[in-house]
Amino acid sequence: MKSAWGALVLAAGKGTRMKSSTAKVLQPILQEPMVFYPLKALSECGPIPIGVVVGYGKEGVCAYLKDKWPQVTTMEQRLQRGTGDAVKISSSFWQDFDNLLILPGDVPLITADTIKRLMDLHLERRSSLTFISFSASNPAGYGRVIRSDGKIRIVEERDASTEELSVREVNSGIYAFSTFALIRYIDELSCENSQGEYYLTDLIEIFQQKNLKVDVVLVNDEDEFLGVNDPLQLAKATALLKNSLVRRHMEEGVKCADPESTWIGPQVTFEGEAFLAPYVQIYGNTSIGERSSIGSFSILRDCKLENDVCIHPHVIIENSIIKGNAIVGPFAYLRDETELGQNSFAGKFVEIKKSKVGSGSKVPHLSYIGDATIGEGTNIGAGTITCNYDGKRKHPTKIGNRCFVGSDTMLVAPVELEDDVTTGAGSVITENVPSGALALARARQRNILGWKKNKEDIKDKNDGGRSE
């Protein structure tokens, strides 16, 4: 049974003007590759099979798609011979659909609502081809939409006359095709143009010559169709998208002290009201619980904050979970599947890596906790380190409930402190400590009397008793 719709994203181009060895569609916008955005918009239009045409930098593009979009089908365009060629070489993917959406991979501001509008009008008018156009304030770089004698055609900028270059209605590069018509006539494309490429836009004229219905959807918001071809356009697209996302979250109740300095990625969600101080950055698959607050210059990636969490300034949290009423920072770094329990505290100049800190436990300052499990109600003294790496492998440390770890304790993993253990300050713990015990592991203090005077006598003797 045929699917009503399929979608094809054209992502084979090098993007020469980007001046980068990285494929253009992998250039980051709010820490997501550019191609993420059209794929996300398509995914919000329903269960539509999606194909991506790759070319330059295919290894990197395919690796990203396999990791983040495993449901997507990829096809390679070995030679960059234009959009028409890209669609033709991918016919084995789309020929069994009734209709095909085609999007460029460099339109990060496109929305699902606009794509749905295109799909609805295409079906409603029973068109063989429907495409989106818009009026550009600066049409440079775009194909011009030329309307004359009741017909429509698109002229690429390099092939346009002076009169045609003055037209401001331009092609967005977003199409809906009837695949019955597409597969029948795509072989009629030629490469007789200044670029020597097969232009998909030439099908507009071919279809009309065959008396097939072609429609245009003219959309007012030109920003939505901003193509990204160089670093300046990349920065512009990033700013537009960033402002749109911040505004949307503020409309839903998030409080931003300084929206201009606040950065929020496209996958970030807020469970309710939250407070963001100036210069906060939140990226990746991150969720922020109700009434949580995030201090200035903090950066969060791929993490979950539950309700009433307080993040002080200058904190970095990556791929971690912070449970309700926990406090972090300032100047803390939590990473690699760390979990802070309810009412816990990770304070000043603390790094916690791949560890679980139990409810009500505290790591107040100047400590490194790695590959560790800490129970409930435990206090970790200043300067404590879990020595988890032996030069070849990482080893775990386990600290029980209600422990008191003295300042400057070195816990040489693998090691376990059972419940209610106390360690003396400055101890190097290399063996397991049973419940309720005090562990001391340091040299006995020696006070050498007269040390200062003896040193001075030795110096005078060596100087021959001379004085300056």
Side-chain angles (χ1 to χ4, degrees), residues 364-377:
H365 33 221
L366 300 164
S367 295
Y368 169 72
I369 305 297
D371 300 282
T373 302
I374 299 175
E376 298 181 358

Side-chain angles (χ1 to χ4, degrees), residues 256-258 261-262 275-282 293-300 310-316 328-332:
C256 294
D258 181 15
S261 68
T262 302
F275 176 78
L276 309 183
Y279 298 100
V280 165
Q281 301 179 53
I282 312 174
S293 63
I294 303 173
S296 293
F297 302 101
S298 291
I299 303 172
L300 280 60
C310 176
I311 306 298
H312 287 300
H314 298 279
V315 168
I316 297 176
V328 184
F331 298 100

Side-chain angles (χ1 to χ4, degrees), residues 33-303:
M34 196 188 308
V35 73
F36 164 87
Y37 295 94
L39 290 174
K40 181 174 185 290
L42 286 169
S43 71
E44 293 172 354
C45 293
I48 300 174
I50 301 174
V52 177
V53 180
V54 301
Y56 179 80
K58 67 173 183 176
E59 294 82 4
V61 178
C62 288
Y64 166 73
L65 294 173
K66 184 178 179 180
D67 182 37
K68 300 298 184 181
W69 299 88
Q71 72 276 28
V72 165
T73 302
T74 57
M75 295 135 283
E76 182 182 2
Q77 185 185 24
R78 289 191 173 89
L79 299 175
Q80 312 300 298
R81 300 195 298 175
T83 53
D85 179 67
V87 174
K88 183 177 179 179
I89 62 100
S90 59
S91 61
S92 61
F93 165 75
W94 54 257
Q95 63 186 356
D96 290 330
F97 305 131
D98 292 326
N99 300 280
L100 179 68
L101 290 164
I102 299 177
L103 283 75
D106 63 351
V107 284
L109 297 168
I110 189 65
T111 65
D113 287 343
T114 296
I115 296 173
K116 289 176 183 176
R117 180 183 172 192
L118 172 64
M119 295 167 68
D120 290 344
L121 288 173
H122 179 74
L123 295 177
E124 178 184 318
R125 296 175 181 177
R126 298 182 179 181
S127 300
S128 293
L129 165 58
T130 310
F131 69 95
I132 296 175
S133 70
F134 63 96
S135 180
S137 54
N138 178 10
Y142 291 99
R144 307 306 199 270
V145 177
I146 308 299
R147 300 171 184 260
S148 61
D149 301 324
K151 301 289 185 181
I152 301 167
R153 61 193 178 94
I154 296 175
V155 180
E156 298 300 327
E157 186 170 67
R158 288 184 177 88
D159 303 308
S161 66
T162 302
E163 182 180 356
E164 290 167 339
L165 288 173
S166 67
V167 173
R168 302 183 83 173
E169 184 181 2
V170 299
N171 176 31
S172 69
I174 300 173
Y175 311 89
F177 278 93
S178 158
T179 55
F180 176 81
L182 181 60
I183 202 165
R184 188 173 182 181
Y185 295 112
I186 195 167
D187 286 336
E188 294 192 18
L189 291 176
S190 73
C191 57
E192 295 178 4
N193 50 62
S194 64
Q195 290 291 94
E197 294 182 349
Y198 295 90
Y199 293 153
L200 190 62
T201 52
D202 288 348
L203 285 174
I204 294 171
E205 193 168 353
I206 292 171
F207 277 22
Q208 291 172 108
Q209 290 172 355
K210 306 296 183 182
N211 295 317
L212 298 178
K213 187 172 177 58
V214 174
D215 273 308
V216 186
V217 180
L218 179 60
V219 178
N220 293 326
D221 183 9
E222 68 171 298
D223 286 342
E224 189 173 347
F225 309 100
L226 175 67
V228 178
N229 296 296
D230 59 42
L232 292 175
Q233 291 176 339
L234 184 68
K236 181 179 180 180
T238 300
L240 288 169
L241 187 59
K242 175 267 226 195
N243 292 338
S244 173
L245 289 168
V246 170
R247 182 172 61 251
R248 187 190 78 194
H249 289 301
M250 292 183 71
E251 289 171 350
E252 295 173 354
V254 175
K255 310 301 187 292
C256 294
D258 181 15
E260 290 299 314
S261 68
T262 302
W263 294 75
I264 302 174
Q267 298 189 77
V268 175
T269 58
F270 291 85
E271 304 302 321
E273 181 181 16
F275 176 78
L276 309 183
Y279 298 100
V280 165
Q281 301 179 53
I282 312 174
Y283 301 115
N285 188 16
T286 296
S287 65
I288 309 296
E290 290 191 78
R291 299 175 301 278
S292 290
S293 63
I294 303 173
S296 293
F297 302 101
S298 291
I299 303 172
L300 280 60
R301 298 186 187 92
D302 297 314
C303 57

